Amino acid sequence: MGQTLCCLQVEQSTVAIKETFGKFDDVLEPGCHFVPWILGKNVAGYLSLRVQQLDVRCETKTKDNVFVTVVASVQYRALANKAADAFYKLSNTREQIQSYVFDVHSTAVIRASVPKLKIDDVFEQKNDIAKAVEDELEKAMSTYGYEIVQTLIVDIEPDEHVKRAMNEINAAARMRLAANEKAEAEKILQIKRAEGEAESKYLAGLGIARQRQAIVDGLRDSVLAFSANVPGTSAKDVMDMVLITQYFDTMKEIGASSKSSAVFIPHGPGAVKDVAAQVRDGLLQGKLLQ
């Protein structure tokens, strides 16, 4: 008498749990299985080996008394070599894993770690918190045939008022930094401007000094040439004539310009001698100072 065979298909990344009269018998791997139909033998169910994810929100308080909500994401999967433990030890797999993982172990780790840190340190050390959660869960869930693939702290949410205050502090710090940078730039600009003005005045002074030196050299050459060409004239006579000529040229230019400011100077036959004497004395004093 032949046996009746049943074709059983098990999907990829899934295993089937076979029982005999309610007792665990075997784990069927992915593929097609020809199972003889025997009274009492049946497939109790299927177990996915795919990576699954559970999220939890845990509210706690930091060291500086700031209430935060830590959002943790745990990625887990059933182990093929412990499929029986994963299938039988938890009656409602997902809900019980979520309840066991988050209510007992994960939040215990989070609530033990976060209160030791200030709010800024919580953001900086979230990877350390996630690693502590992962280590704790790995030890607990391996008994039930599950592997913790990865644990992430995906978000840290302070109270809305605290978040607004942190943003204001950050904005104020950035504004202060911008103000310092702007002041430093203005300082550099003023220094460069002052250096430019100093250099400009220095060069202008050199130009004036050279101009005056050229005038003195020209006058000296004129006096010497005139004295040589006109016998009987002294250097004083030539200088007086040059000064008188320049005096009248200056008066002519002042009178010819419509935009000249009013200049009051002594003018008369006797004033010319005084002007010549004053200019000559000034030149002599300049020579002595050199």
Side-chain angles (χ1 to χ4, degrees):
M1 183 177 178
Q3 290 182 331
T4 302
L5 297 178
C6 297
C7 179
L8 178 64
Q9 178 179 328
V10 180
E11 300 292 338
Q12 183 66 32
S13 299
T14 306
V15 294
I17 306 299
K18 189 173 71 170
E19 293 181 343
T20 300
F21 291 104
K23 182 180 178 181
F24 170 72
D25 185 8
D26 194 9
V27 176
L28 302 180
E29 300 290 336
C32 184
H33 300 269
F34 291 96
V35 182
W37 186 87
I38 300 175
L39 183 64
K41 289 185 177 292
N42 66 298
V43 175
Y46 298 88
L47 180 67
S48 175
L49 301 180
R50 294 184 177 91
V51 176
Q52 303 180 61
Q53 180 171 305
L54 291 175
D55 296 329
V56 64
R57 299 173 65 88
C58 174
E59 185 176 356
T60 184
K61 187 175 70 170
T62 63
K63 185 177 181 180
D64 46 354
N65 297 322
V66 176
F67 284 93
V68 296
T69 300
V70 180
V71 182
S73 177
V74 179
Q75 297 175 351
Y76 69 96
R77 66 182 173 190
L79 297 171
N81 59 346
K82 293 185 178 181
D85 292 337
F87 186 81
Y88 287 105
K89 287 189 176 182
L90 297 175
S91 59
N92 190 324
T93 307
R94 185 173 179 83
E95 289 184 6
Q96 288 189 354
I97 287 180
Q98 185 171 5
S99 176
Y100 184 84
V101 169
F102 295 118
D103 292 345
V104 179
H105 287 271
S106 174
T107 55
V109 175
I110 293 174
R111 287 173 179 159
S113 302
V114 174
K116 298 177 183 178
L117 304 172
K118 294 184 178 181
I119 182 64
D120 293 335
D121 297 332
V122 173
F123 284 94
E124 295 176 1
Q125 300 184 26
K126 65 179 183 179
N127 291 336
D128 297 336
I129 298 173
K131 187 65 172 61
V133 173
E134 182 177 336
D135 293 342
E136 190 69 22
L137 295 180
E138 184 67 33
K139 291 186 292 185
M141 298 311 299
S142 60
T143 306
Y144 298 94
Y146 283 90
E147 174 192 14
I148 304 301
V149 178
Q150 190 176 28
T151 302
L152 301 173
I153 302 298
V154 296
D155 197 9
I156 299 172
E157 302 175 357
D159 180 77
E160 189 63 32
H161 298 290
V162 176
K163 188 185 298 185
R164 188 181 302 112
M166 291 176 66
N167 290 335
E168 291 177 355
I169 292 173
N170 188 35
R174 292 181 180 276
M175 290 178 64
R176 183 168 60 251
L177 179 61
N180 290 338
E181 293 294 334
K182 183 179 179 181
E184 189 67 22
E186 291 179 352
K187 175 184 175 182
I188 294 174
L189 185 61
Q190 291 179 359
I191 291 174
K192 292 300 181 182
R193 187 183 295 115
E195 291 177 352
E197 291 178 356
E199 183 69 16
S200 176
K201 291 179 180 179
Y202 172 75
L203 295 176
L206 288 178
I208 293 173
R210 290 173 181 174
Q211 180 188 21
R212 291 176 177 174
Q213 184 63 42
I215 292 173
V216 171
D217 293 341
L219 289 175
R220 182 182 64 248
D221 294 341
S222 297
V223 169
L224 293 176
F226 195 91
S227 299
N229 295 328
V230 181
T233 59
S234 64
K236 178 179 179 302
D237 296 333
V238 177
M239 196 66 186
D240 288 341
M241 186 181 68
V242 171
L243 292 176
I244 291 171
T245 303
Q246 291 182 348
Y247 176 80
F248 283 111
D249 289 341
T250 302
M251 295 297 296
K252 179 180 178 181
E253 291 179 2
I254 293 175
S257 176
S258 60
K259 296 182 179 180
S260 298
S261 301
V263 178
F264 297 94
I265 59 175
H267 180 64
V272 175
K273 183 179 179 181
D274 295 337
V275 171
Q278 292 174 10
V279 174
R280 185 169 54 254
D281 292 342
L283 292 174
L284 293 176
Q285 290 176 6
K287 288 289 184 180
L288 291 175
L289 290 176
Q290 291 179 357

